[in-house]
């Protein structure tokens, strides 16, 4: 296994302290068929439940990723990233995060006996900070936004701290692939027709795409953004020659509650979504809140962003869906911290 540059194809070892190629391209992971990805670091192997729900006449299957050890699907990415890092002899990892990614990496780093440092933007909820500290992570609070935290961590990595960023390090999406395999097993060897996921930084879209590619069939992957922060939606529509109003997609991408900035892997996300015959849609704040309330009435306590998939599924099928369609909505994060 090795990293290679998505632009110039230059190869880098997995333990590189470079965060991207010298040409500026992002890393992707190369795996040979005989390569086994280490998965030794565990906080208990978790198969999350897949439960049916009727939301506004639409039958969906909720994948309860909020029940992961630290409260989000990001544990899948962190488990793999940290396991591989440990197998490479890495002992110090760092990342920037405003929430769940930091918690996941910090928890798995703790389980691996590794040092972890998380750069968080000021204004991160106390609960999130406390969770990081409880896992033994050093928390560096950065003045400014999520993007400032990202700039700050890069200044301090040097050659001693390994960058465990879900956006930059492809080992993260490699771990998220297990979500696709698990769904396939839970559906009795079937691939769902649709999966609705928050776009975020792309690790879920890309991880699902890579995982289902291994299975050999893709569901339609529909990525969701809020209408105030929708760079992926804009790119998706513009590629089709459909003009979008600035007001519909937002100008400022630094809201710590949502997907914060233009995703680093926007082109990779577009490729995954298009290859799957999927779509990108936006939902309003009100639609998000309604979807979170729907989840609550089903007994599921989700963070607001984690309701995006359900909000989108309701919007996507306004008159109901074909009975034979299996529509999966991962509940990506627990509401407990926010
Ligand atoms: Zn390159």
């Amino acid at each position: 296994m090795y990293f290679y540059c998505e632009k110039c194809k230059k190869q880098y070892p997995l333990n590189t302290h470079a965060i991207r190629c010298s040409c500026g391209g992002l890393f992707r992971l190369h795996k040979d068929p005989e390569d086994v990805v280490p998965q030794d670091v565990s906080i208990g192997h978790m198969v999350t439940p897949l439960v049916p729900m009727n939301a506004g006449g639409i039958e969906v299957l909720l994948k309860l990723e909020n029940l992961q050890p630290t409260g989000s699907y990001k544990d899948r990415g962190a488990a793999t990233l940290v396991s591989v890092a440990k197998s490479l002899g890495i002992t110090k990892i760092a990342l920037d995060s405003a929430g769940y990614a930091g918690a996941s990496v910090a928890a798995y780093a703790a389980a691996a006996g590794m040092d972890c440092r998380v750069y968080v933007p000021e204004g991160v909820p106390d609960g999130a900070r406390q969770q990081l500290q409880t896992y033994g992570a050093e928390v560096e609070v950065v003045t400014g936004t999520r993007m400032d935290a990202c700039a700050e961590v890069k200044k301090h990595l040097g050659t001693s701290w390994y960058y465990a960023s879900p956006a930059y390090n492809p080992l993260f999406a490699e771990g998220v692939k297990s979500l696709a395999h698990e769904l396939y097993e839970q559906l009795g060897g079937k691939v769902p027709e649709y999966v609705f996921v928050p776009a975020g930084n792309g690790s879920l879209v890309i991880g699902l795409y890579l995982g289902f590619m291994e299975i050999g069939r893709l569901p339609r992957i529909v990525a969701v953004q809020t209408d105030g922060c929708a760079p992926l939606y804009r790119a998706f529509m513009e590629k089709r020659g459909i003009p979008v109003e600035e007001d519909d997609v937002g100008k400022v991408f630094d809201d710590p509650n949502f997907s914060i900035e233009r995703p680093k892997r926007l082109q990779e996300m577009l490729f995954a979504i298009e290859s799957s015959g999927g779509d990108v849609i936006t939902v309003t704040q009100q639609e998000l809140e309604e979807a979170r309330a729907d989840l609550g009435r089903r007994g599921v306590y989700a963070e607001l962003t984690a309701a995006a998939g359900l909000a989108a599924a309701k919007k996507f099928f306004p008159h109901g869906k074909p009975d034979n369609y299996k529509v999966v909505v991962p509940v990506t994060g627990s509401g407990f911290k926010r």
Side-chain angles (χ1 to χ4, degrees):
M1 280 189 293
Y2 55 83
F3 292 153
Y4 67 96
C5 169
E6 65 179 11
K7 284 189 182 154
C8 73
K9 312 298 177 206
K10 185 177 170 187
Q11 295 178 15
Y12 289 77
L14 296 182
N15 63 355
T16 179
H17 280 271
I19 58 177
R20 61 204 300 172
C21 179
S22 51
C23 84
L26 291 169
F27 292 145
R28 296 201 188 178
L29 179 68
H30 173 86
K31 254 173 50 182
D32 287 313
E34 66 275 16
D35 282 331
V36 176
V37 181
Q39 286 288 358
D40 306 333
V41 182
S42 164
I43 313 176
H45 179 66
M46 185 70 62
V47 174
T48 58
L50 187 66
V51 298
M53 172 180 174
N54 188 299
I58 312 291
E59 274 291 332
V60 299
L61 294 164
L62 300 176
K63 179 71 170 154
L64 298 183
E65 291 292 290
N66 55 312
L67 300 180
Q68 289 281 359
T70 79
S72 87
Y73 81 93
K74 292 188 176 176
D75 286 358
R76 295 179 185 273
T80 297
L81 192 153
V82 170
S83 292
V84 175
K86 190 179 183 196
S87 76
L88 297 167
I90 288 161
T91 57
K92 291 167 176 284
I93 56 177
L95 77 160
D96 46 295
S97 169
Y100 278 118
S104 291
V105 172
Y108 282 85
M114 290 161 71
D115 291 338
C116 181
R117 191 184 274 175
V118 187
Y119 291 76
V120 301
E122 59 186 345
V124 146
D126 285 346
R129 206 180 305 180
Q130 242 170 43
Q131 186 180 13
L132 293 171
Q133 284 164 338
T134 303
Y135 294 136
E138 281 177 56
V139 179
E140 300 282 345
V141 179
V142 179
T143 309
T145 65
R146 177 71 182 68
M147 281 175 278
D148 294 312
C150 181
E152 194 66 19
V153 67
K154 288 178 192 165
K155 281 189 223 161
H156 292 93
L157 291 169
T159 52
S160 46
W161 293 87
Y162 184 72
Y163 195 28
S165 160
Y168 284 89
N169 195 317
L171 292 168
F172 200 90
E174 178 66 20
V176 174
K177 281 181 2 185
S178 65
L179 181 56
H181 288 278
E182 211 171 285
L183 283 169
Y184 182 69
E185 277 172 33
Q186 287 175 314
L187 292 171
K190 291 205 170 75
V191 170
E193 273 68 29
Y194 281 87
V195 182
F196 286 81
V197 290
N201 63 23
S203 59
L204 197 47
V205 168
I206 295 165
L208 282 171
Y209 168 79
L210 294 172
F212 280 114
M213 282 299 283
E214 286 180 349
I215 291 162
R217 219 195 110 206
L218 291 171
R220 291 176 191 270
I221 299 172
V222 182
V224 192
Q225 294 192 305
T226 53
D227 61 353
C229 178
L232 180 72
Y233 174 76
R234 169 156 45 191
F236 188 77
M237 289 302 161
E238 283 176 351
K239 229 177 149 184
R240 279 162 183 67
I242 303 168
V244 287
E245 297 290 328
E246 194 69 32
D247 285 353
D248 291 341
V249 291
K251 290 173 187 158
V252 182
F253 301 141
D254 62 356
D255 185 334
N257 291 315
F258 298 110
S259 58
I260 52 229
E261 58 173 325
R262 188 180 168 84
K264 296 279 176 303
R265 296 188 183 269
L266 193 117
Q267 294 306 325
E268 204 176 338
M269 292 167 79
L270 285 176
F271 179 81
I273 292 161
E274 286 170 347
S275 305
S276 79
D279 208 337
V280 183
I281 65 176
T282 61
V283 295
T284 65
Q285 182 77 11
Q286 194 188 338
E287 287 164 340
L288 263 188
E289 283 168 12
E290 283 169 11
R292 181 167 64 169
D294 290 340
L295 289 170
R297 284 188 291 270
R298 177 69 175 79
V300 175
Y301 186 38
E303 68 164 343
L304 192 57
T305 327
L310 183 62
K314 286 168 66 181
K315 199 168 184 172
F316 193 83
F317 296 111
H319 309 298
K321 67 167 182 64
D323 286 344
N324 58 337
Y325 276 19
K326 288 194 166 48
V327 174
V328 170
V329 175
V331 179
T332 51
S334 158
F336 281 126
K337 266 190 317 187
R338 304 229 162 133

